[in-house]
Amino acid sequence: MSTVENASPADDDAQAGAQGIADQDWATASASPQYRAAVVDLLGALAYGELAAFERLAEDAKLAPTLGDKAELAKMASAEFHHFERLRDRLAAIDAEPTAAMEPFAKGVDDFHRQTAPSDWLEGLVKAYVGDSIASDFYREVATHLDTDTRALVVGVLDDTGHGGFAVEKVRAAIEADPRVGGRLALWARRLMGEALSQAQRVVAERDALSTMLVGGVDGMAAGFDLAAVGEMFTRITKAHTKRMAALGLAA
């Protein structure tokens, strides 16, 4: 017998709630204090991530081998800072203090960047492409379960700043010039994958409102994934990572 046939009225109500949040605007959805807290956490995590990405790209520009490469990274850093400003302004607009919203995530993000500091220009490019893309995939998955206004903002700030195509071009050229580079960068990318997934899981696990939204629901509304769906989400993220590795010319 199918799971639909066995569904209870409570299950039906929960499913309706899940669909409802994704169809609601912020003014309606934010009537739930727990949902509002989850969104403030999410925007705070994203805002600090964008600020840290700006700082990192500006620092990585110092490793660039040419003036053109340096300028390209500077342009990407500027785009990341613009994303940060949008998130900061949105937090203020919904009466959340931006610094307070970011503070719970600062140490985790800073620790991640300390643990994955690139040793050279190519490692920095792979980190920008692979590490940032894993985080973006995670937040895009979360965004599908947000209200329409918040979803539009989150998807907008996750737009590629241009480092995807730039990284692929530079890394593939380096491997073509010296195939031995490929093995080293493949190992580096695998490490980034593990660290980035762990970081994403910690972001959720350490914040009650976010974890409730993702695995249980908010105020009786099943706003997010169930536990099985969380596993499926990380499987999709892993598959996307494998495709990016192939684009770089690296073995996953």
Side-chain angles (χ1 to χ4, degrees), residues 56-80:
R56 191 192 73 245
L57 285 169
E59 186 69 21
D60 287 352
K62 298 176 182 178
L63 300 172
T66 71
L67 184 58
D69 292 336
K70 188 185 295 288
E72 190 67 26
L73 280 191
K75 182 174 73 173
M76 295 175 199
S78 176
E80 299 284 14

Side-chain angles (χ1 to χ4, degrees), residues 231-247:
E232 293 169 1
M233 174 186 72
F234 282 110
T235 296
R236 288 192 295 273
I237 292 172
T238 300
K239 288 181 178 178
H241 167 74
T242 300
K243 290 181 180 178
R244 290 191 191 98
M245 292 285 280

Side-chain angles (χ1 to χ4, degrees), residues 11-34:
D11 293 332
D12 293 338
D13 291 343
Q15 185 174 0
Q19 295 169 338
I21 286 183
D23 293 333
Q24 292 171 8
D25 61 12
W26 168 252
T28 304
S30 61
S32 162
Q34 193 168 33

Side-chain angles (χ1 to χ4, degrees), residues 93-221:
I94 63 174
D95 298 322
E97 206 288 308
T99 301
M102 292 188 290
E103 187 63 37
F105 307 100
K107 184 180 185 302
V109 172
D110 290 345
D111 286 347
F112 169 76
H113 287 306
R114 276 194 295 270
Q115 292 161 3
T116 58
S119 62
D120 61 20
W121 159 250
L122 290 174
E123 286 190 1
L125 286 180
V126 171
K127 180 179 176 180
Y129 181 48
V130 172
D132 289 357
S133 295
I134 292 168
S136 293
D137 286 345
F138 170 70
Y139 288 119
R140 282 193 185 92
E141 292 273 1
V142 174
T144 63
H145 299 272
L146 299 173
D147 65 271
T148 55
D149 297 318
T150 305
R151 181 167 66 247
L153 172 63
V154 169
V155 171
V157 300
L158 294 176
D159 283 346
D160 182 19
T161 59
H163 58 245
F166 181 73
V168 168
E169 176 189 348
K170 297 295 181 179
V171 170
R172 291 189 75 95
I175 294 172
E176 184 176 347
D178 182 1
R180 294 173 299 178
V181 169
R184 173 172 67 85
L185 293 180
L187 289 174
W188 171 243
R190 291 185 201 120
R191 179 185 168 193
L192 289 171
M193 174 67 173
E195 294 285 355
L197 285 180
S198 294
Q199 171 65 17
Q201 290 166 337
R202 284 194 296 270
V203 165
V204 174
E206 293 176 2
R207 304 298 294 177
D208 289 343
L210 267 181
S211 60
T212 299
M213 182 179 73
L214 283 173
V215 303
V218 179
D219 288 357
M221 298 182 293

